[in-house]
């Protein structure tokens, strides 16, 4: 799709640096954030939170707190239970380990909310909070992944601490020989620290009960539509009963994808109290009690042939889910997106999420970013080991456009990715050889410079492949005044969607940018969309806006043609004027057309609707890929271990660029987070489960002096979507960390390899490599922490299943643990000798299978499914009396466990 | 993040301030710039019954020359001190260190006395006072006393200041004209408290060091005076100084700790390096001049 050719007006808007429509109010302090909401009679909420990481609540004494001035109510879980709540994951599946809004008899992490005090002012609420006495019978907390492997289950209703498990350990049998027989094998291990997302504005929620059943909720969120749908579903309210409004929001980053315990508790409190209430998360809560992110322990081995071509890889991934994650997560996306941009014949993995007594994990910009970090850092390590230049090693393995269509070893098809082309564009714009010369000269002076690269692809604009990712709706109208109003399903937490969408409208409709008003941020506006999640709004809302504006332009042309007795093809719109080719005297302003369309229906074409309106809901392809190559140059001080970033160049391909300033802002923001992750940010816990970075004095966010001026190159390969955009919201946070780590590793190469990358790379940890000793104390600390891990597998009981005397015929209730939550179904089996047939019945429908095999008490069968993708499910079940357990291999999704029992 | 309830008084004189402190029986806290206290109040880590605001006491502000030294009023804003010509002329080490305190914005509000009296062990101003041999003037309703800076600090955020006492001045002794400034710190971000840092002054005469005052910050529970290094330097000729050996002696006086930003070993290792580098560069500057 050629953007230039599609242009309607002479004035170009798409691709230009329009000043942002949002800036005037935000930069002059006139934004409308949730804390700016004031309602008559509104009360304020403060939470009583657990100071211990794990234990049974013996008592909660509220008497003294209730006597405090201004206190109107204090709720514990016993009170909130009056309103049944079913919390949901980001995939809108039921949270497995029942999470209550407030602690229900037990606390599972420091910061666990225990009670909510509702008072006339926030200060009064906090005064009362300090008088609530909670007695907890403390238990030994599980803090690390190693703890989780051996300790008693965090959730007493579960058998172990595995929140989710995917992949297949047995697949290592096929991969291991490839590793053993390869010319080169390189391995790495990364321990990614825990991140506190730390948006500038913490979480915030104000709820006002209106009428009998309705509720208006103001919330700092990433999509008012999604929040409204979540709240309605979680609270069992009619969908239309909840309206969510979110005007300005100071950053989301994934943390505000879905309402979580506190926000839902605020809505429930408003329901119970029948009064407007507000909760504004403070910074202490934001750091210690908002969902955390990352904290992974990952090992990756890669086999290469003599020429450096990838042969096979194996990954063992674990993440610390905390006690109450926003969805039990083994992060399957890490494995899905690790290799599609590279030619790798064989890949296997095991991936697990572990429960611990720490704050739960939530989404965070590029939640699967570990795939790029572990792959790209290992790749450059391999380059050093084999003696091939890291750029050359990529060239030998990347999937270029000429190699496509291509299908990854896990079955992901790619047909228009451009990481190789981005890399070539990057290399054409930097003097790589010159830097290497400079680096060599600097070494002689005792200065250590380094250069690092990273290439990656990213799935963006996801729609229809997993709930609740959907299309976007745009409603456009030209007012009788000639001004254009857009009602969008989008939401901006800094994304500038009002700006970019207005640019698309201005371009497609032929009106001035200034004459367009954009309304968003309200579930009463537009239609359902998940908003800012997964780099999707520019792609999907952009496409919807593009098409809706075209439709509206067509309407204007039909009216203008009719009025001038001309053919539609002769009509053009430019700068708010409607022209007829060859008849300049017939030019009319859009306003004139609009006045006729609204006020003089008799002058419209026969049968034409009055007014000038258009609506379009765009359902794009399920996934649109973005690519990039970055490079960064650093100087590392061997004296202090400090890292100074000298230059950083980004070459990204996000297809059609609507506004380069907005695109670059997204990349820069992601890179700032990358710099924070690599060098500064850390939310450690002590052995008793206390978070150790409770203020910004200890949680080091990158500041303006830590972030360099980035340089940008834009490749512009249009995607298959309307408008040709590709998502760019998360890329910087994904490709940034490996780029910076690689630059540091390159600078450190003469001293040694970073054998195990423990983040953040503090100055002390940099000295560990330079001096080849444990300056930072990290090794001693980790060796101590890993001791627990040695004692794992406490229950290796090898059960020899007897031949099934009772037979397998009949119905079985089975649960399949998929990455998007557990799937319940009824399985029906009919055994005819060694041949098994039957069906699986789920809420979505019934699917038959045949040709299965029965051997002893083992049944194997296959089933092809279309959703979420075309894959073949391979079941391998072991029956034991009235119970069944086993695995289901799900193509790229790895293996899921199956459990069940006879109906 | 709302402070616990407190009474607020804004006395107009030192006497009135001291009276409130005395009457509060330990329940009062002095606020000047509030750059540390306000967050502590908001976190309820500090819960005074009375907040005594000394910003309305003119005699606690400003810089003046006194017999043998320079006196800085504790309520003097850091930004004002940074621009002060008397301090620039007589206490270049003070100015160098002050430039590393917080940020432009926080220095507009933060005060010298607040920084000195808080006793953050990784902060620049307490170590500066110790290294230069400053004296802290202290007043209460009952008495007035002066305490040498290196006896003022007893632990992290702990000083000899009694609950009824107020710091009324910090007097920095004069150093010989042309004395040299020793300063270096490593902090993860600009404006952060240091992982490790050192500050001090060296006076020279005829190619030999005649006077040395050096203190560490971030290297123990209090600012730590590098006494062994000072002893090694005083009397030494420039040609005879082994910077690395002096640095080792300096580190020998420290007692750093581990935290999640840096290990004690890092602080010792890098501390020795920046000490030696600061010494070499400072003395080279002198010899080149």
């Amino acid at each position: 799709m050629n953007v230039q050719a599609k242009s309607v007006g002479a004035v170009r808007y798409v691709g230009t640096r329009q000043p942002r429509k949002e800036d005037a109010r935000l930069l002059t302090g006139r934004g409308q954030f949730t804390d700016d909401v004031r309602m008559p009679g509104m009360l304020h909420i403060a939470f009583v939170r657990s100071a211990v990481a794990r234990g049974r609540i013996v008592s909660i004494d509220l008497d003294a707190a209730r006597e405090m001035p201004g206190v109107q109510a204090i709720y514990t879980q016993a009170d909130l239970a009056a309103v049944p709540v079913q919390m949901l994951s980001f995939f809108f599946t039921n949270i497995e380990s029942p999470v209550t809004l407030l602690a229900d008899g037990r606390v599972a992490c420091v910061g666990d909310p225990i009670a909510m005090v509702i008072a006339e002012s926030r200060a009064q609420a906090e005064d009362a909070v300090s008088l609530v006495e909670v007695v907890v019978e403390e238990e030994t907390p599980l803090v690390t992944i190693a703890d989780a492997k051996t300790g008693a289950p965090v959730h007493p209703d579960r058998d172990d601490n595995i929140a989710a498990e995917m992949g297949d350990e047995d697949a290592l049998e096929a991969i291991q020989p490839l590793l053993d027989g390869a010319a080169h094998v390189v391995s790495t291990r990364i321990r990614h620290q825990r991140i506190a997302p730390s948006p500038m504005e913490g979480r915030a929620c104000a709820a006002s009960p209106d009428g009998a059943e309705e509720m208006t909720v103001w919330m700092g969120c990433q999509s008012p539509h999604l929040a409204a749908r979540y709240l309605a579903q979680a609270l069992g309210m009619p969908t239309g009963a909840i309206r969510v409004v979110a005007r300005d929001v100071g950053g989301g980053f994934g943390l505000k994808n879905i309402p979580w315990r506190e926000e839902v508790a605020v809505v429930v409190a408003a329901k119970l109290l029948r009064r407007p209430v507000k909760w504004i998360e403070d910074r202490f809560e934001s750091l210690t009690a908002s969902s955390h992110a990352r904290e992974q322990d990952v090992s990756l081995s890669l086999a290469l042939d003599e020429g450096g071509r990838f042969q096979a890889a194996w990954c063992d991934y674990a993440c610390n889910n905390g006690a109450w994650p926003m969805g039990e997560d083994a992060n399957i996306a890490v494995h899905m997106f690790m290799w599609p941009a590279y030619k790798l014949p064989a890949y296997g993995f095991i991936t697990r999420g572990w429960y611990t007594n720490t704050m739960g994990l939530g989404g965070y910009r590029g939640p699967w970013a570990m795939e790029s970090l572990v792959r790209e850092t290992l790749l450059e390590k391999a380059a050093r080991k084999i003696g091939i230049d890291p750029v050359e090693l990529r060239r030998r393995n990347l999937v270029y456009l000429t190699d496509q269509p291509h299908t990854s070893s896990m079955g992901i098809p790619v047909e228009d990715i451009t990481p190789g082309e981005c890399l070539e564009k990057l290399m054409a714009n930097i003097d790589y050889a010159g830097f290497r010369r400079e680096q060599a000269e600097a070494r002689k002076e005792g200065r250590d410079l380094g250069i690092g690269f990273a290439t990656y692809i990213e799935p963006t604009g996801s729609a229809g492949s997993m709930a609740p990712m959907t299309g976007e709706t745009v409603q456009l109208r030209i007012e009788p005044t000639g001004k254009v109003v857009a009602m969008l399903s989008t939401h901006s937490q800094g994304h500038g969607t009002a700006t970019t969408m207005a640019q698309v409208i201005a371009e497609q409709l032929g009106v001035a940018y200034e004459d367009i008003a954009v309304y968003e941020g309200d579930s009463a506006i537009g239609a359902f969309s998940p908003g800012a999640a997964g780099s999707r709004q520019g792609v999907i809302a952009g496409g919807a806006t593009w098409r809706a504006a075209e439709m509206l332009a067509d309407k204007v042309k039909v009216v203008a043609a009719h009025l001038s007795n001309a053919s539609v093809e002769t009509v053009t719109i430019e700068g708010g004027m409607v022209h007829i080719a060859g008849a300049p005297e017939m030019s009319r302003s859009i306003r004139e057309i609009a006045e006729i369309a609204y006020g003089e229906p008799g002058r419209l074409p026969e049968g034409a609707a009055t007014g000038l309106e258009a609506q379009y809901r765009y359902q794009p392809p399920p996934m649109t890929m973005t690519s990039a190559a970055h490079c960064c140059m650093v100087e590392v001080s061997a004296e202090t271990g400090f890292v100074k970033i000298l230059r950083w160049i980004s070459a990204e391909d996000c297809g059609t660029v609507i506004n380069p300033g907005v695109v670059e802002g997204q990349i820069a923001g992601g890179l700032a987070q990358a710099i924070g992750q690599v060098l500064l940010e850390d939310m450690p816990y002590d052995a008793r489960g206390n978070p150790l970075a409770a203020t910004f004095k200890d949680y080091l966010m990158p500041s303006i002096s830590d972030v360099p001026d980035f340089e940008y190159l834009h490749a512009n390969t249009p995607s298959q979507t309307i408008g040709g955009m590709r998502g760019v919201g998360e890329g910087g946070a994904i490709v940034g960390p490996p780029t910076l780590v690689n630059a540091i590793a390159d600078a450190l190469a003469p001293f040694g390899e970073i054998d195990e990358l423990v983040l953040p790379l503090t100055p002390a940890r940099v000295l560990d490599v330079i001096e080849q000793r444990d300056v930072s104390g990290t090794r001693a600390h980790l060796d101590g922490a890993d001791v627990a891990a040695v004692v794992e597998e406490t229950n290796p009981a090898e059960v020899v299943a007897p031949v099934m005397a009772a037979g397998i015929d009949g119905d079985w209730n089975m649960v399949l643990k998929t990455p998007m939550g557990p799937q319940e179904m009824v399985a029906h089996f009919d055994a005819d000798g060694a041949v098994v047939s039957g069906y699986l019945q789920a809420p979505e429908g019934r699917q038959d299978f045949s040709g299965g095999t029965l051997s002893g008490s083992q049944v194997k069968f296959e089933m092809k499914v279309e959703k979420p993708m075309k894959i073949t499910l391979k079941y391998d079940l072991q029956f034991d009396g009235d119970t069944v357990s086993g695995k289901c291999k799900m193509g790229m999704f790895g293996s899921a466990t199956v459990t069940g029992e006879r109906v | 993040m709302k402070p616990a309830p407190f009474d607020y008084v804004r006395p107009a004189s030192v006497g009135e301030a001291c009276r409130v402190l005395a009457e509060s029986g330990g329940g009062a806290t002095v606020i000047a710039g509030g750059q540390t206290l306000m967050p502590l109040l908001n976190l309820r880590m500090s819960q005074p019954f009375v907040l005594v605001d000394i910003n309305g006491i003119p005699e606690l502000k400003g810089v003046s020359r006194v017999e043998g030294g320079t006196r800085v009023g504790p309520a003097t804003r850091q930004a004002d001190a940074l621009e002060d010509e008397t301090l620039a002329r007589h206490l270049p080490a003070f100015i160098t260190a002050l430039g590393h305190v917080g940020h432009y914005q926080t220095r507009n509000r933060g005060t010298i006395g607040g920084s000195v009296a808080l006793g953050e062990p990784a902060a620049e101003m307490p170590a500066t006072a110790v290294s230069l041999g400053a004296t802290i003037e202290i007043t209460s309703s009952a008495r007035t006393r002066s305490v040498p800076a290196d006896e003022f600090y007893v632990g992290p955020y702990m000083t000899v200041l009694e609950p009824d006492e107020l710091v009324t001045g910090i007097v920095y002794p004069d150093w010989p004209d042309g004395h040299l400034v020793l300063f270096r710190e490593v902090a993860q971000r600009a404006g952060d408290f240091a992982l490790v840092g050192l500050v001090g002054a060296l006076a020279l005469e005829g190619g030999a060091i005649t006077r040395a005052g050096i203190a560490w910050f971030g290297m123990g529970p209090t600012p730590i005076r590098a006494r062994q290094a000072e002893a090694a330097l005083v009397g030494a000729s420039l040609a005879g100084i082994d910077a690395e050996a002096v640095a080792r002696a300096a580190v020998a006086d420290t007692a750093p700790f581990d935290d999640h930003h840096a290990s004690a070993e890092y602080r010792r290792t890098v501390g020795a390096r920046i000490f030696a580098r600061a010494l070499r560069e400072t003395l080279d500057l002198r010899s080149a001049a």
Side-chain angles (χ1 to χ4, degrees):
Chain A
M1 185 172 296
N2 186 324
V3 177
Q4 301 289 338
K6 296 287 285 184
S7 171
V8 176
V11 179
R12 303 239 341 111
Y13 287 100
V14 168
T16 64
R17 295 176 187 269
Q18 289 297 319
R20 296 203 325 160
K21 282 189 179 289
E22 297 87 350
D23 285 343
R25 70 172 188 276
L26 292 175
L27 297 181
T28 57
R30 292 179 171 83
Q32 286 288 315
F33 295 86
T34 302
D35 198 24
D36 293 316
V37 173
R38 300 218 164 129
M39 292 172 275
M42 184 175 77
L43 300 172
H44 299 262
I45 292 174
F47 285 94
V48 177
R49 295 183 182 277
S50 179
V52 303
R54 176 170 175 145
R56 186 179 67 85
I57 298 175
V58 177
S59 62
I60 305 173
D61 184 350
L62 305 174
D63 291 348
R66 283 195 208 280
E67 296 301 312
M68 291 295 285
V71 172
Q72 297 287 324
I74 304 180
Y75 292 146
T76 63
Q77 182 57 29
D79 303 299
L80 297 195
V83 177
V85 173
Q86 171 61 58
M87 293 295 281
L88 308 166
S89 75
F90 175 67
F91 299 112
F92 274 62
T93 56
N94 291 350
I95 292 287
E96 258 185 73
S97 265
V99 50
T100 50
L101 301 180
L102 301 174
D104 189 12
R106 291 180 60 78
V107 292
C109 60
V110 170
D112 227 347
I114 295 172
M116 57 199 302
V117 175
I118 305 170
E120 283 159 22
S121 75
R122 170 68 183 235
Q124 287 174 329
E126 289 190 23
D127 291 345
V129 163
S130 62
L131 293 178
V132 172
E133 281 191 50
V134 181
V135 178
V136 176
E137 189 179 272
E138 276 191 69
E139 299 166 11
T140 305
L142 308 182
V143 179
T144 64
I145 292 169
D147 292 344
K149 289 177 179 174
T150 55
V154 166
H155 298 300
D157 61 321
R158 299 180 72 101
D159 298 333
D160 56 31
N161 287 310
I162 297 178
E165 176 176 324
M166 304 296 303
D168 187 358
E169 265 172 324
D170 298 341
L172 184 55
E173 284 172 29
I175 301 286
Q176 193 63 53
L178 300 173
L179 297 174
D180 293 341
H184 306 285
V185 178
V186 286
S187 298
T188 193
R189 181 171 182 180
I190 298 179
R191 301 196 202 227
H192 199 304
Q193 80 276 40
R194 180 170 281 244
I195 293 295
S198 307
M200 194 176 290
E201 181 197 19
R203 292 181 295 162
C205 184
S208 173
D210 308 325
E213 266 294 319
E214 296 92 58
M215 182 78 71
T216 304
V217 180
W218 288 263
M219 189 189 295
C221 61
Q222 295 174 210
S223 163
H225 288 284
L226 184 139
R229 183 172 155 189
Y230 185 106
L231 290 171
Q233 194 171 327
L235 298 172
M237 292 172 76
T239 310
I242 289 192
R243 176 184 174 191
V244 173
V245 183
R247 292 294 310 278
D248 291 309
V249 176
F253 309 117
L255 170 68
K256 299 174 188 171
N257 251 338
I258 54 172
W260 200 231
R261 301 171 75 185
E262 289 86 347
E263 291 102 321
V264 180
V266 168
V267 175
V268 170
K271 257 176 101 91
L272 292 175
L273 208 55
R274 305 296 310 157
R275 281 184 72 169
V277 292
K278 179 161 85 176
W279 169 65
I280 303 297
E281 181 178 67
D282 66 30
R283 188 54 66 187
F284 177 71
E285 290 179 296
S286 176
L287 284 166
T288 61
S290 259
S291 296
H292 287 158
R294 307 291 198 256
E295 195 174 352
Q296 301 136 322
D297 185 347
V298 184
S299 295
L300 178 66
S301 293
L302 173 67
L304 305 93
D305 70 10
E306 286 292 348
R309 283 170 192 85
F310 300 167
Q311 302 298 303
W314 174 259
C315 182
D316 188 331
Y317 174 101
C319 64
N320 185 340
N321 269 345
W324 310 109
M326 285 180 169
E328 297 80 3
D329 195 10
N331 217 338
I332 184 76
V334 166
H335 307 283
M336 289 169 67
F337 298 109
M338 197 180 290
W339 298 108
Y342 288 89
K343 297 165 199 155
L344 175 79
Y347 178 60
F349 65 91
I350 181 79
T351 187
R352 298 186 182 96
W354 297 90
Y355 287 119
T356 63
N357 296 110
T358 59
M359 191 47 64
L361 248 54
Y364 187 59
R365 209 171 193 175
W368 58 88
M370 178 52 80
E371 48 80 28
S372 282
L373 180 59
V374 70
R375 178 193 63 239
E376 295 295 311
T377 54
L378 180 60
L379 188 153
E380 295 218 347
K381 196 183 240 187
R384 283 187 293 272
K385 184 178 178 189
I386 304 174
I388 301 177
D389 182 86
V391 175
E392 174 57 27
L393 187 61
R394 288 187 176 85
R395 285 178 172 141
R396 290 183 195 177
N397 290 285
L398 275 171
V399 176
Y400 282 76
L401 274 175
T402 49
D403 301 314
Q404 297 170 48
H406 168 83
T407 303
S408 81
S409 51
M410 282 182 67
I412 304 260
V414 291
E415 52 190 23
D416 64 348
I417 62 168
T418 56
E421 287 71 16
C422 287
L423 180 64
E424 299 308 332
K425 182 156 194 158
L426 178 72
M427 299 313 292
N429 281 277
I430 63 168
D431 181 5
Y432 185 33
F435 178 84
R436 288 295 183 198
R437 281 193 300 276
E438 194 182 328
Q439 183 182 37
E441 287 303 312
R443 295 270 192 218
K444 289 179 197 162
E445 300 164 15
R447 290 170 54 231
D448 297 297
L449 306 184
I451 188 167
F453 296 90
T455 48
Y456 94 119
I457 59 161
E458 176 194 357
T460 74
S462 170
S465 56
M466 57 180 181
M469 304 304 260
T470 66
E472 293 265 358
T473 294
V474 169
Q475 297 163 343
L476 282 184
R477 62 176 187 265
I478 299 173
E479 299 279 358
T481 56
K483 305 289 185 195
V484 178
V485 169
M487 313 280 268
L488 303 182
S489 52
T490 49
H491 190 258
S492 168
Q493 308 97 58
H495 303 79
T497 35
T499 298
T500 49
M501 297 306 130
Q503 284 181 250
V504 170
I505 295 164
E507 170 115 353
Q508 295 303 309
L509 196 51
V511 299
Y513 174 72
E514 294 74 21
D515 284 345
I516 301 165
V518 176
Y519 294 93
E520 55 179 357
D522 187 334
S523 67
I525 292 175
F528 180 80
S529 123
S535 306
R536 54 181 300 289
Q537 298 194 113
V539 182
I540 308 177
T545 307
W546 200 287
R547 178 56 46 82
E550 285 175 342
M551 291 163 63
L552 190 52
D554 286 347
K555 246 180 207 182
V556 171
K557 288 178 187 174
V558 166
V559 173
H562 179 75
L563 291 171
S564 303
N565 204 17
S567 74
V568 171
E569 291 71 35
T570 64
V571 183
T572 54
I573 314 173
E574 187 186 315
M577 292 298 292
V578 186
H579 305 290
I580 311 290
E585 73 284 0
M586 289 189 178
S587 291
R588 287 184 166 90
S589 67
I590 278 193
R591 177 181 179 158
E592 243 182 291
I593 304 268
E595 282 173 347
I596 292 166
Y598 280 91
E600 298 179 68
R603 296 178 67 188
L604 296 178
E606 185 74 25
T610 60
L612 290 173
E613 297 174 6
Q615 172 167 335
Y616 188 70
R617 182 168 183 85
Y618 180 39
Q619 186 69 26
M623 217 178 266
T624 296
M625 291 288 189
T626 295
S627 309
H630 280 222
C631 131
C632 161
M633 302 164 196
V634 300
E635 177 165 355
V636 174
S637 163
E639 183 173 280
T640 63
F642 271 62
V643 174
K644 182 176 168 55
I645 299 170
L646 305 174
R647 276 186 80 185
W648 195 310
I649 304 119
S650 153
E652 114 292 334
D653 188 349
C654 67
T656 303
V657 171
I658 299 173
N659 185 325
V662 169
V663 165
E664 290 162 12
Q666 287 292 330
I667 296 170
L671 291 180
Q673 286 173 299
I675 290 166
Q677 286 177 60
V678 172
L679 298 177
L680 295 165
E681 297 179 44
D682 193 6
M683 178 57 72
Y685 276 73
D686 69 14
R688 295 190 61 202
N690 294 304
L692 296 180
T695 71
F696 278 149
K697 179 173 181 274
D698 282 317
Y699 192 83
L700 307 184
M701 297 289 284
S703 68
I704 191 68
S705 53
D706 304 301
V707 179
D709 284 332
F710 303 110
E711 300 163 63
Y712 306 95
L713 300 164
H714 302 289
N716 303 109
T717 312
S719 70
Q720 304 300 312
T721 66
I722 297 174
M725 284 75 78
R726 300 168 186 271
V728 74
E730 292 161 284
I734 299 172
V735 74
T739 307
L740 181 51
V741 170
N742 281 343
I744 297 168
D746 184 57
L748 295 180
F751 302 100
E753 282 292 338
I754 304 173
D755 288 326
E756 183 176 318
L757 176 63
V758 181
L759 292 173
L761 267 173
T762 58
R765 287 178 181 150
V766 170
L767 283 194
D768 290 348
V769 181
I770 290 173
E771 305 190 8
Q772 295 288 300
R773 66 188 179 100
D774 191 18
V775 179
S776 68
T778 302
R779 194 67 262 156
H781 175 74
L782 290 177
D783 288 347
D786 282 348
V787 167
V790 180
V791 203
E792 70 183 302
E793 302 298 338
T794 51
N795 195 8
E798 192 127 331
V799 180
V800 180
V803 175
M804 282 287 287
I808 62 166
D809 288 7
D811 288 349
W812 298 71
N813 283 324
M814 297 208 313
V815 178
L816 177 65
K817 272 177 74 175
T818 79
M820 289 149 203
Q823 303 270 316
E824 292 181 20
M825 55 189 162
V826 173
H828 180 85
F829 299 100
D830 288 310
D832 181 5
V835 181
V836 180
S837 61
Y839 60 83
L840 299 182
Q841 174 90 43
E844 303 84 47
R846 167 179 157 166
Q847 195 165 2
D848 297 327
F849 69 88
S850 57
T853 60
L854 172 62
S855 163
S857 55
Q858 185 183 36
V859 170
K860 291 185 178 180
F861 64 96
E862 294 185 10
M863 183 176 276
K864 288 189 181 348
V865 295
E866 301 285 319
K867 280 187 162 185
M869 287 176 185
K870 282 186 186 175
I871 48 174
T872 301
L873 304 178
K874 296 179 181 175
Y875 283 89
D876 182 348
L877 305 176
Q878 195 72 39
F879 289 81
D880 179 12
D882 288 335
T883 63
V884 57
S885 61
K887 279 182 178 172
C888 173
K889 289 197 180 181
M890 309 189 299
M892 72 180 76
F893 294 107
S895 293
T897 58
V898 180
T899 55
E901 55 193 17
R902 199 187 291 272
V903 173
Chain B
M1 271 208 191
K2 305 290 179 195
F6 55 80
D7 288 334
Y8 172 85
V9 293
R10 188 180 163 90
S13 68
V14 169
E16 196 184 335
C18 289
R19 194 165 62 246
V20 176
L21 290 175
E23 287 167 0
S24 305
T29 294
V30 171
I31 185 165
Q35 294 306 293
T36 301
L37 184 59
M38 288 305 294
L40 291 178
L41 291 173
N42 286 340
L43 288 162
R44 295 185 180 234
M45 290 166 71
S46 172
Q47 299 196 15
F49 297 116
V50 184
L51 206 56
V52 183
D53 181 349
I54 60 166
N55 286 295
I57 306 176
E59 63 209 84
L60 294 181
K61 291 181 182 167
V63 177
S64 57
R65 290 290 292 155
V66 294
E67 178 68 34
T70 305
R71 185 176 181 279
V72 180
T76 307
R77 303 278 178 222
Q78 291 158 2
D80 292 336
L82 213 44
E83 298 295 316
D84 189 271
E85 287 179 13
T86 303
L87 288 170
R89 157 139 170 58
H90 294 281
L91 293 169
F94 178 100
I95 296 295
T96 301
L98 185 54
H100 288 80
V101 175
H103 304 266
Y104 187 90
Q105 292 84 349
T106 64
R107 290 195 296 264
N108 280 331
R109 191 71 197 161
T111 64
I112 301 299
S115 186
V116 167
L118 178 69
E120 155 70 53
E124 292 85 357
M125 296 323 287
T128 303
V130 169
S131 72
L132 298 179
T135 302
I136 319 290
E137 296 179 351
I138 298 168
T139 298
S140 70
S141 295
R143 62 172 177 165
T144 292
R145 61 178 176 141
S146 289
V147 177
D150 61 3
E151 294 170 19
F152 184 68
Y153 300 102
V154 295
Y157 309 105
M158 286 184 283
T159 68
V160 300
L161 207 60
E162 295 294 333
D164 65 339
E165 288 181 321
L166 181 67
V167 172
T168 53
I170 305 119
V171 178
Y172 299 83
D174 282 339
W175 281 68
D177 282 349
H179 72 271
L180 303 176
V181 174
L182 206 58
F183 184 89
R184 205 161 182 100
E185 72 169 44
V186 291
Q188 277 181 282
R189 300 172 304 179
D192 277 352
F193 289 114
L195 297 178
V196 49
L198 63 103
V199 58
L202 299 172
L204 278 82
E205 205 175 307
I209 293 177
T210 55
R211 188 171 160 192
I214 307 168
W216 292 102
F217 44 105
M219 287 292 265
T222 62
I224 290 182
R225 193 153 163 202
R227 290 181 191 281
Q228 294 185 54
E230 288 175 6
L233 287 169
V234 172
S237 68
L238 289 189
I241 291 173
D242 177 345
E244 276 66 30
V246 178
R248 280 195 298 276
V251 169
D253 281 328
T254 66
F257 41 81
D258 292 321
D259 63 26
H260 77 266
H261 301 298
S263 60
E265 177 58 20
Y266 176 85
R267 292 181 158 95
R268 277 190 295 266
T269 301
V270 173
R273 286 175 190 162
I274 63 171
F275 193 104
R277 177 179 286 273
L279 206 54
R280 276 197 308 270
E281 289 184 357
T282 303
L283 296 176
D284 281 350
L285 268 179
R286 171 70 174 182
S287 57

